[in-house]
Amino acid sequence: MTTREEVARKAGVSVAAVSYVLNNKPGVSDATRQKVLEAIRELDYKPSHAARTLKTKKTNQLTVFVNYLGDAFEAGILNHLEMESRMFGYFVNFQTYHPEREEELRHFMAGRIDGVFLLGQSLRPETLETLHKAGIPVISVMKPVEPGPVTAFVDIDWTASLQKTIRHLKSEGHLRIGLMANLSETHAHRTRTLAFRQAMKAEGLPFGETDILSGGGRLEAAKAAMLDYIRIGRLGEHTAFVAASDLMAIGMLTACRESGIAVPDRLAIAGCENVLMTLQTTPTITVLDYPRPEASVAAVRLMVEAIRGEPVASRLFDSRLLVRQSTHMGG
Amino acid sequence: MTTREEVARKAGVSVAAVSYVLNNKPGVSDATRQKVLEAIRELDYKPSHAARTLKTKKTNQLTVFVNYLGDAFEAGILNHLEMESRMFGYFVNFQTYHPEREEELRHFMAGRIDGVFLLGQSLRPETLETLHKAGIPVISVMKPVEPGPVTAFVDIDWTASLQKTIRHLKSEGHLRIGLMANLSETHAHRTRTLAFRQAMKAEGLPFGETDILSGGGRLEAAKAAMLDYIRIGRLGEHTAFVAASDLMAIGMLTACRESGIAVPDRLAIAGCENVLMTLQTTPTITVLDYPRPEASVAAVRLMVEAIRGEPVASRLFDSRLLVRQSTHMGG
């Protein structure tokens, strides 16, 4: 097996220079880097990653914790996080986050990754402490419910954005607006529920606990909640609903179609992410256009800065409202 | 820092026994295992994974190479692969597979994973050889176009399954049936194209190169291909289309809706995966019900057996046809 020493001899440089090149550290001239890379190719040198990890503590690997692999909104973010991370030489892997497995995961991550991306999950304090001690930054796309010691997050300004949706619904004559929410205490959707409450208040509209339906963040659960709502005769209490995720908006639309409820004539429905599928449904769905590419790029920049030890600050984006058929009479 | 030796002393067992427990190896009694786990907890012992990897060569980590993170069909398989792998104590991570990054990935995987799941990708021979030499099994869900030295795969019998779709379309009066395909030479969808050709032949129906449209496996590309087909006046050449993926079927449906083409009256459209969204479109889409849970469970079993060094054999499943509105007149 070829050793680092042989690569150094072949390239005519020091072993330290080889290490610098292998670990992508600054302080090596381009010419030296070139010589080392040629020697590596010629000798077919394959560094042992386990051995390398012990020495350099850097793995060039970032992990993203996913909430649910079937969510098109999250999939879009993953795509963008991956593309942007590759620009900085990082590999990105994805793992589903299961709160009950957090201890397992904590042990598992040690020494294997340089950074963690969250999709709004609130990790336990002891996990954050472990990561912090190991010098592993945590950057979240979507604001965690408990931002606590998370290094930084990017998200949209949910209150300002949902106010746009509510103002549009008001202009269409809707004054009784419900929310299809994901009521999990630890899910990023909780941020949306809190923001919706604030936005309704800011717009001077009534909103209480009975105006919230629980759709669990999934299409099938939101569909079932809507069918229940219709079955027990609640239709009429609200003339419009906002869903905290597009999948839930699609589920509600399906429930209305199966029950013969015309959308938007009898019930207007809006989503808030702009996944591709909201253009494929009948009617098409009014949504907030969550700037997934921009938010993902910003998250990767924060990660790279945090890994370099630079101070990082959270960032909130604006979000446009895209009015489509599901909320616009005659639309 | 607590050492393995201290754990052994505390538990009153040998250091070897501690190692056996840590590495999930057989040959330790339940009582010993219990004592070791208690000592680990009491001493808050955290094995260094990098050091462990060097010694045991096992990482308890499996990697799945994904083709496209936005594909609902693949997302379903990932979910099932993950759930089942966890039953066997494995962590599963996901990475998008980019053919142009294969060399990078090859170096990167060394020493980091115990097994690779493919979703039908054909890895390069040198990558397969590297993995083989490292004792890392490769199991594919969906048959790779070039099965070559891949350890094993699970898939449905595409020819027999697509014959069911074709026979159904024939019974609805369709004799000119086109295929919306993903023509990438290396993508698992190629298996479907080859099978479709065989199935059409077996059913005695004409099928040539001009009966294939190229939809790239994506919703938007299939929609664009269908809009082109309509615009250049080809509508009428076929009365039905089968799409090699459900996302492409949804894209075709959108193209028809935007062009005022009634489905199934003027054109019948069938998919072949049964993703949830095929029930949310108008009309709902006729599909093959790819047995994702069963195929995923079978793939994990093959992986576990292959890691143990047992011989493994590929497996083909049957697939049901679910007739829905998009192919059934008056349906």
Side-chain angles (χ1 to χ4, degrees):
Chain A
M1 207 175 116
T2 310
T3 65
R4 201 168 282 219
E5 287 69 24
E6 290 172 84
V7 173
R9 212 174 308 134
K10 178 95 185 170
V13 303
S14 68
V15 175
V18 175
S19 298
Y20 272 52
V21 172
L22 285 171
N23 298 308
N24 269 326
K25 282 193 185 167
V28 198
S29 73
D30 278 353
T32 301
R33 189 176 302 272
Q34 215 44 53
K35 275 190 261 175
V36 170
L37 290 175
E38 264 166 40
I40 284 173
R41 256 192 302 272
E42 282 174 33
L43 296 171
D44 195 25
Y45 171 67
K46 286 177 190 62
S48 156
H49 267 286
R52 245 181 94 185
T53 301
L54 278 179
K55 279 196 186 162
T56 71
K57 311 269 190 205
K58 287 296 176 202
T59 65
N60 293 324
Q61 184 84 8
L62 304 174
T63 287
V64 188
F65 285 121
V66 181
N67 293 303
Y68 171 48
L69 282 165
D71 190 314
F73 175 69
E74 294 195 1
I77 291 177
L78 298 185
N79 257 333
H80 291 296
L81 282 180
E82 193 202 30
M83 280 190 291
E84 187 67 15
S85 296
R86 282 170 61 201
M87 305 275 289
F88 289 94
Y90 287 97
F91 286 82
V92 181
N93 65 60
F94 312 94
Q95 306 224 2
T96 307
Y97 173 70
H98 302 276
E100 77 280 7
R101 272 177 66 204
E102 203 173 303
E103 198 182 336
E104 253 180 301
L105 275 173
R106 197 160 64 230
H107 289 177
F108 190 77
M109 288 185 295
R112 290 183 183 242
I113 51 170
D114 294 348
V116 174
F117 285 114
L118 301 179
L119 297 185
Q121 300 94 341
S122 297
L123 297 183
R124 289 194 214 132
E126 57 267 34
T127 301
L128 291 169
E129 206 192 314
T130 304
L131 293 171
H132 184 72
K133 278 187 186 161
I136 298 173
V138 178
I139 304 288
S140 183
V141 181
M142 296 195 278
K143 183 182 167 188
V145 185
E146 303 290 347
V150 163
T151 316
F153 64 84
V154 295
D155 204 345
I156 59 171
D157 181 333
W158 278 103
T159 306
S161 300
L162 287 167
Q163 258 186 277
K164 293 182 194 173
T165 309
I166 294 165
R167 273 199 293 269
H168 158 68
L169 290 172
K170 272 168 82 176
S171 78
E172 295 279 332
H174 300 288
L175 299 174
R176 293 290 292 138
I177 306 171
L179 177 71
M180 180 63 81
N182 177 348
L183 294 176
S184 157
E185 292 289 323
T186 54
H187 197 286
H189 284 178
R190 192 167 154 74
T191 303
R192 307 181 187 186
T193 306
L194 299 172
F196 190 79
R197 199 187 298 272
Q198 285 188 297
M200 286 292 276
K201 196 173 169 188
E203 289 299 319
L205 293 180
F207 186 73
E209 288 309 316
T210 58
D211 299 314
I212 301 180
L213 298 188
S214 174
R218 304 280 179 98
L219 192 154
E220 289 291 353
K223 177 184 165 189
M226 196 69 216
L227 286 173
D228 264 357
Y229 176 88
I230 295 166
R231 203 190 51 240
I232 61 175
R234 293 192 62 191
L235 197 73
E237 285 184 27
H238 307 88
T239 60
F241 261 94
V242 174
S245 78
D246 285 357
L247 281 189
M248 291 199 290
I250 295 171
M252 294 174 81
L253 212 57
T254 310
C256 287
R257 187 172 62 236
E258 291 184 5
S259 309
I261 311 291
V263 175
D265 308 58
R266 287 190 62 197
L267 191 70
I269 294 172
C272 60
E273 298 169 331
N274 196 23
V275 304
L276 194 55
M277 207 52 66
T278 56
L279 274 171
Q280 314 304 324
T281 50
T282 312
T284 55
I285 304 176
T286 294
V287 289
L288 288 169
D289 187 20
Y290 195 107
R292 286 185 286 180
E294 293 81 358
S296 305
V297 165
V300 172
R301 296 293 156 97
L302 288 179
M303 178 62 82
V304 170
E305 290 164 13
I307 289 173
R308 285 192 196 131
E310 295 168 20
V312 292
S314 296
R315 195 164 158 200
L316 287 184
F317 284 85
D318 193 18
S319 179
R320 287 179 309 148
L321 178 72
L322 305 177
V323 176
R324 301 196 186 122
Q325 298 163 339
S326 69
T327 62
H328 186 50
M329 293 286 272
Chain B
M1 210 176 113
T2 310
T3 65
R4 205 169 278 219
E5 287 69 24
E6 291 172 84
V7 172
R9 213 175 307 132
K10 178 94 184 171
V13 303
S14 67
V15 175
V18 174
S19 298
Y20 272 52
V21 172
L22 285 171
N23 297 309
N24 270 327
K25 282 193 184 166
V28 198
S29 72
D30 279 354
T32 300
R33 189 176 302 271
Q34 213 47 51
K35 275 189 264 177
V36 170
L37 291 175
E38 264 165 41
I40 285 173
R41 255 193 303 274
E42 281 175 34
L43 296 171
D44 196 27
Y45 171 66
K46 286 179 189 59
S48 156
H49 267 287
R52 244 180 95 186
T53 301
L54 278 178
K55 278 196 186 163
T56 71
K57 311 269 189 204
K58 288 295 175 201
T59 65
N60 292 323
Q61 185 84 7
L62 305 173
T63 287
V64 188
F65 286 122
V66 181
N67 294 302
Y68 171 47
L69 282 165
D71 190 314
F73 175 69
E74 294 195 1
I77 291 177
L78 299 185
N79 256 333
H80 290 295
L81 283 180
E82 193 202 29
M83 281 192 290
E84 188 66 13
S85 295
R86 281 170 63 202
M87 305 274 290
F88 289 93
Y90 287 97
F91 287 81
V92 180
N93 64 62
F94 311 95
Q95 305 223 4
T96 307
Y97 173 70
H98 303 276
E100 76 281 8
R101 274 177 65 204
E102 201 172 305
E103 198 182 336
E104 252 180 303
L105 275 173
R106 197 161 64 229
H107 288 177
F108 190 76
M109 287 185 297
R112 292 185 182 238
I113 50 168
D114 293 349
V116 174
F117 285 113
L118 302 178
L119 297 185
Q121 300 94 342
S122 297
L123 297 183
R124 289 193 213 133
E126 56 268 35
T127 302
L128 289 170
E129 205 191 316
T130 304
L131 292 171
H132 183 71
K133 278 187 187 161
I136 296 173
V138 178
I139 303 289
S140 183
V141 180
M142 297 194 278
K143 184 182 168 186
V145 184
E146 303 291 346
V150 163
T151 315
F153 64 85
V154 295
D155 204 343
I156 61 171
D157 181 333
W158 279 102
T159 306
S161 300
L162 287 166
Q163 258 187 280
K164 294 181 195 175
T165 309
I166 295 165
R167 272 200 293 268
H168 157 67
L169 291 170
K170 272 170 81 176
S171 78
E172 295 279 332
H174 302 287
L175 299 174
R176 294 289 294 139
I177 306 171
L179 177 70
M180 180 63 79
N182 178 348
L183 293 177
S184 157
E185 291 289 323
T186 55
H187 197 286
H189 286 177
R190 193 167 154 74
T191 303
R192 306 181 188 186
T193 306
L194 300 172
F196 191 79
R197 200 184 298 273
Q198 285 189 298
M200 285 292 276
K201 195 171 171 191
E203 289 299 318
L205 293 180
F207 187 73
E209 287 309 315
T210 58
D211 299 314
I212 301 180
L213 298 188
S214 174
R218 304 279 178 98
L219 192 154
E220 290 291 353
K223 177 185 164 187
M226 195 70 217
L227 285 173
D228 265 357
Y229 176 87
I230 295 165
R231 201 189 54 240
I232 61 176
R234 293 193 62 192
L235 197 71
E237 285 185 27
H238 307 89
T239 59
F241 262 94
V242 174
S245 78
D246 286 357
L247 281 189
M248 291 198 292
I250 295 171
M252 295 174 82
L253 211 57
T254 311
C256 288
R257 187 172 62 236
E258 291 184 5
S259 309
I261 311 291
V263 175
D265 308 58
R266 287 190 62 196
L267 191 69
I269 294 173
C272 60
E273 296 169 332
N274 197 23
V275 305
L276 195 54
M277 208 53 66
T278 56
L279 274 172
Q280 315 303 324
T281 50
T282 310
T284 55
I285 304 175
T286 293
V287 290
L288 288 169
D289 186 21
Y290 196 106
R292 287 185 286 180
E294 293 80 359
S296 306
V297 165
V300 172
R301 296 293 157 96
L302 288 179
M303 178 63 82
V304 170
E305 290 164 12
I307 289 173
R308 286 192 197 131
E310 295 167 20
V312 292
S314 296
R315 198 167 155 196
L316 288 184
F317 284 86
D318 193 19
S319 178
R320 286 180 309 148
L321 178 71
L322 304 177
V323 175
R324 300 196 186 123
Q325 298 164 341
S326 69
T327 63
H328 186 48
M329 294 286 273

